Amino acid sequence: MYFSLEYANMCGIFGYVGKRADAGCIVVRGLKNLEYRGYDSWGVAYQVNGSILVKKDVGRISAVSADLFSNASNLALAHTRWATHGGVTQLNAHPHTNEDGTVAVVHNGIIENFQELKEDLLKRGHLFLSETDTEVIPHLIEEELRSSDDFALAVRKACMRFQGRFAILAMHTGSQTLVAARTGSPLIVGVSKETADHPQGYFIASDIPAFIEHTRLVQYIDDGEMVVTDGNSILFMDLKTGEERPKREVEIQWTIEQAQKGKYAHYMLKEIMEQKESIARAINQEEEEIETIAKAIRSARGTFLAASGTAHKACMAAEYFFSVIAEHHVNVVSACEFKLYHHFLKPESLLIVVSQSGETADVLEAIKIARSKGSKVLAIVNVQGSTIDREADYTLYINAGPERGVASTKALTGQMAVLMLIAYALKGALREGKQLLLDTVAQINDMLNPRYVERIEHLAEKIRQKNDLYIIGRGWNYPMALESAIKIKEVSYIHAEGFAGGELKHGPIALIEEGVPCVVLAGNDEVAVDIVSNALELKARGAYVIGVGPARRRPAFDEWIKVPDAGAAQPLVNIIPMQILAYFLAVQRGKDPDMPRNLAKSVTVK
Ligand code: F6R
């Protein structure tokens, strides 16, 4: 069931129970930090004097003042939604309750059999207000509470009747407990231990930024588990059997500063600028581990790289790294297409999955397919404790710190850096690769100065009114052309397309007319001469050619964005001005680059 989803909610959920009496404010503040998971509508339920108050609305939680939730309360749950089941309306927003408002639930995922459960409940006289699958949950819990007043047991029994992948948080007027259950969608506990500064309590959220301002001590809820907490203690249980599960507490490395915007107007710009340090963190890997992975690739009967979106472009660049640096063939597949590759998988094959969030449904499906063939799985992820991290046989972390902008930036360069290190290790030259990447970090540090950023801001002003933009590259700059197009499209909504330079004359060049902006990504590499020829072909058709590369190619480039000559690490430096350009195009066109329309950060749907 877990992987057979067509639809699911990609939402943020957050709950608190503990000694603090401002539970409503806590969850609203935390929810603002989860808004990247969905921003169609929001809602909060909190217990006040034994009753549950619910407030919910369409729009963004960022516009809502936490002060509106200041009633004394120790128990609250909240939700920010990316709509799938039912339109964006106040009634469809979570939390959902039963008719008398004694049970409140927030939910991320899908109840696949909700229609049949709903029909059954309707026959029993239950009334429904929304079009969501979620609304059956509080009604079913109410049914279970008729035979026993044990709330946790009622939630567990209700969960037994659901098919699908979900994470829920529930509360009931009859108890001061927060109950959570997980089958697939992420859920993490934050532990606040009684100290002079912090009262005792527990936070439960889809992701760490919700509670990072309160604690860095976490406990991971695994699939098929539930937790029950009254704020003083917490119990982890097997969702099916109710058996107790022991749990470790883990201190996470992320800091509050990393999770906040700081002096920047948007997370996207902050995260682009952070690449000065994040790439250095990515390459700070145990040499022995990288060598072991290289050995596993050498002895594997077929190495496959699977990922989605931007992470897939990192894998495409890696295909060139493995070829040019290590002369080793790997197969790169978009995770959503991996299903059709299962014929090639053997127990001796190796699947390398790459994911920032560690939650992408298509990538999880690729892992499941590899497992079914007995192949081993290596994950390269950013989020520690994420589902992909936990499903893989082995994980390397890129250590980029939280990436909050919906458009992936620093994760991409971290992923490419780690993959490049592995390619160098495969060549037997890990130290050489590490040195090259360290030099690249120093070059990026010099490049990312305010004057450089301003230059690109001015370039954005020149082209922001354009309807179309094309980007070309060759070799490892080809995936960067595709990635540049993703960035520009998703945040500025300008139509942008990336092509391999050599493909232009096989069709796309028909689109070029006077004044169309075209970006040419160049390097000091074996295809340098060819890409300049392609730039001249564009120019001959009237294109306004913007060159990104270490050399000013006159007369091919009308504009030149200088980047350092980084050798094999050229794609890491070339993509950065394109990220900055995408950012300014969005801002100058009045769009919010952190929350592009129709998108959410973790894509937990197939
Ligand atoms: C685009 C973007 C997406 C993600 C893709 C995979 O800017 O962020 O294309 O790269 O959804 O996400 P992860 O890396 O979390 O698996």
Side-chain angles (χ1 to χ4, degrees):
M1 283 335 283
Y2 186 116
F3 292 100
S4 66
L5 292 175
E6 292 302 327
Y7 307 98
N9 293 321
M10 300 191 291
C11 309
I13 63 183
F14 184 35
Y16 170 77
V17 62
K19 288 200 176 152
R20 286 183 57 168
D22 56 346
C25 300
I26 291 174
V27 293
V28 170
R29 277 205 303 273
L31 206 57
K32 290 180 193 232
N33 292 329
L34 284 187
E35 202 173 20
Y36 61 91
R37 297 183 66 89
Y39 30 86
D40 294 334
S41 47
W42 59 272
V44 180
Y46 53 132
Q47 271 203 31
V48 178
N49 299 327
S51 303
I52 294 177
L53 299 186
V54 175
K55 288 184 189 165
K56 55 186 184 177
D57 212 340
V58 296
R60 294 181 175 190
I61 186 73
S62 46
V64 177
S65 163
D67 297 342
L68 295 173
F69 302 84
S70 58
N71 315 47
S73 170
N74 303 93
L75 172 59
L77 45 83
H79 188 267
T80 181
R81 180 168 186 243
W82 189 88
T84 53
H85 256 84
V88 182
T89 65
Q90 191 198 23
L91 283 180
N92 286 338
H94 300 209
H96 291 284
T97 65
N98 58 340
E99 268 159 72
D100 62 11
T102 50
V103 178
V105 171
V106 288
H107 164 221
N108 176 18
I110 188 172
I111 308 298
E112 289 176 349
N113 57 337
F114 89 98
Q115 206 61 50
E116 114 202 17
L117 294 169
K118 189 168 174 174
E119 274 158 30
D120 186 45
L121 287 161
L122 282 167
K123 278 188 209 139
R124 290 163 173 271
H126 290 258
L127 275 181
F128 287 84
L129 302 175
S130 78
E131 303 159 282
T132 64
D133 52 339
T134 307
E135 201 179 356
V136 299
I137 306 173
H139 288 270
L140 275 174
I141 295 173
E142 178 194 307
E143 287 272 323
E144 297 296 345
L145 281 168
R146 288 189 185 148
S147 49
S148 149
D149 60 3
D150 182 339
F151 179 53
L153 181 66
V155 174
R156 192 160 76 76
K157 282 184 162 174
C159 287
M160 289 300 89
R161 300 183 60 186
F162 305 148
Q163 289 169 5
R165 179 184 185 195
F166 58 85
I168 62 167
L169 290 179
M171 65 157 84
H172 173 227
T173 48
S175 72
Q176 266 283 315
T177 53
L178 185 59
V179 178
R182 168 182 180 173
T183 68
S185 302
L187 218 46
I188 301 159
V189 174
V191 183
S192 174
K193 298 215 162 140
E194 186 84 44
T195 62
D197 303 327
H198 292 101
Q200 174 70 33
Y202 289 94
F203 307 88
I204 307 179
S206 314
D207 206 349
I208 292 160
F211 55 73
I212 187 103
E213 65 176 290
H214 306 288
T215 181
R216 301 211 326 242
L217 207 56
V218 304
Q219 292 177 306
Y220 292 109
I221 307 177
D222 282 313
D223 276 351
E225 287 185 346
M226 67 181 288
V227 299
V228 184
T229 171
D230 61 0
N232 294 312
S233 61
I234 191 161
L235 184 64
F236 286 74
M237 289 186 281
D238 183 291
L239 190 54
K240 268 199 194 124
T241 62
E243 234 169 80
E244 195 174 333
R245 290 262 181 98
K247 278 289 149 169
R248 277 187 319 128
E249 287 173 357
V250 180
E251 175 130 16
I252 47 144
Q253 301 306 316
W254 292 2
T255 63
I256 303 175
E257 293 72 31
Q258 280 180 320
Q260 288 173 345
K261 262 191 282 205
K263 63 179 180 185
Y264 293 97
H266 297 98
Y267 284 107
M268 185 177 175
L269 186 58
K270 176 183 181 241
E271 288 158 9
I272 291 170
M273 299 306 278
E274 276 176 2
Q275 290 172 110
K276 290 177 189 178
E277 304 103 35
S278 58
I279 300 173
R281 285 200 300 272
I283 56 181
N284 190 17
Q285 304 281 344
E286 292 289 337
E287 288 186 10
E288 215 173 292
E289 286 184 0
I290 301 290
E291 298 283 12
T292 307
I293 288 162
K295 209 162 135 198
I297 295 174
R298 217 173 279 129
S299 55
R301 277 186 70 194
T303 297
F304 295 80
L305 268 67
S308 301
T310 294
H312 173 241
K313 305 306 165 291
C315 295
M316 284 180 72
E319 192 175 5
Y320 292 94
F321 299 153
F322 281 102
S323 166
V324 175
I325 299 166
E327 297 178 9
H328 189 94
H329 177 245
V330 294
N331 306 275
V332 175
V333 190
S334 165
C336 64
E337 292 291 316
F338 194 72
K339 207 182 220 163
L340 302 165
Y341 280 68
H342 71 94
H343 306 285
F344 305 129
L345 294 172
K346 307 193 168 40
E348 304 79 23
S349 308
L350 174 68
L351 171 66
I352 302 178
V353 291
V354 181
S355 172
Q356 188 286 128
S357 63
E359 300 295 346
T360 302
D362 286 325
V363 180
L364 280 163
E365 170 131 335
I367 296 177
K368 191 190 170 208
I369 293 163
R371 285 253 175 282
S372 72
K373 293 288 184 153
S375 313
K376 286 268 180 284
V377 180
L378 162 72
I380 299 176
V381 302
N382 190 31
V383 180
Q384 218 174 328
S386 57
T387 311
I388 291 172
D389 177 9
R390 297 158 83 73
E391 293 279 325
D393 295 299
Y394 196 79
T395 305
L396 285 179
Y397 302 109
I398 62 165
N399 299 319
E403 190 181 68
R404 298 276 302 275
V406 165
S408 190
T409 53
K410 62 177 176 172
L412 170 82
T413 45
Q415 291 158 353
M416 287 197 288
V418 170
L419 287 162
M420 183 181 261
L421 271 189
I422 298 173
Y424 270 102
L426 203 55
K427 182 190 172 191
L430 178 55
R431 291 270 162 90
E432 182 193 334
K434 201 164 183 178
Q435 192 53 54
L436 169 72
L437 284 159
L438 283 172
D439 293 346
T440 307
V441 169
Q443 288 173 319
I444 290 174
N445 192 38
D446 290 346
M447 178 177 93
L448 280 178
N449 61 58
R451 270 203 8 254
Y452 190 79
V453 174
E454 239 170 66
R455 258 218 71 211
I456 300 171
E457 187 177 6
H458 290 144
L459 173 63
E461 273 161 18
K462 285 193 198 165
I463 60 174
R464 70 182 163 154
Q465 306 287 8
K466 300 285 183 184
N467 296 322
D468 307 289
L469 200 154
Y470 303 104
I471 306 116
I472 60 166
R474 278 178 179 257
W476 41 46
N477 278 314
Y478 164 47
M480 294 305 98
L482 300 179
E483 168 58 12
S484 305
I486 296 184
K487 283 296 85 87
I488 291 169
K489 271 188 275 218
E490 73 179 325
V491 299
S492 77
Y493 315 152
I494 292 177
H495 169 238
E497 296 295 335
F499 301 109
E503 277 293 323
L504 270 182
K505 48 190 165 296
H506 300 290
I509 204 155
L511 295 165
I512 307 303
E513 50 188 40
E514 198 60 36
V516 171
C518 292
V519 181
V520 177
L521 302 179
N524 197 1
D525 50 27
E526 58 187 287
V527 289
V529 174
D530 300 334
I531 197 72
V532 174
S533 298
N534 298 138
L536 287 166
E537 287 160 11
L538 289 168
K539 197 170 160 105
R541 272 103 194 148
Y544 177 63
V545 179
I546 302 157
V548 175
R552 180 194 289 267
R553 301 287 188 167
R554 282 203 176 101
F557 298 165
D558 295 302
E559 288 262 357
W560 177 43
I561 302 179
K562 188 179 175 187
V563 289
D565 184 349
Q570 200 64 44
L572 278 81
V573 297
N574 278 8
I575 196 60
I576 294 176
M578 297 308 290
Q579 295 169 340
I580 302 172
L581 182 65
Y583 170 77
F584 282 116
L585 286 173
V587 172
Q588 290 169 14
R589 287 163 66 93
K591 313 295 176 206
D592 180 348
D594 285 344
M595 288 179 215
R597 69 184 173 208
N598 306 337
L599 291 169
K601 187 71 180 156
S602 305
V603 184
T604 51
V605 294
K606 275 199 341 186

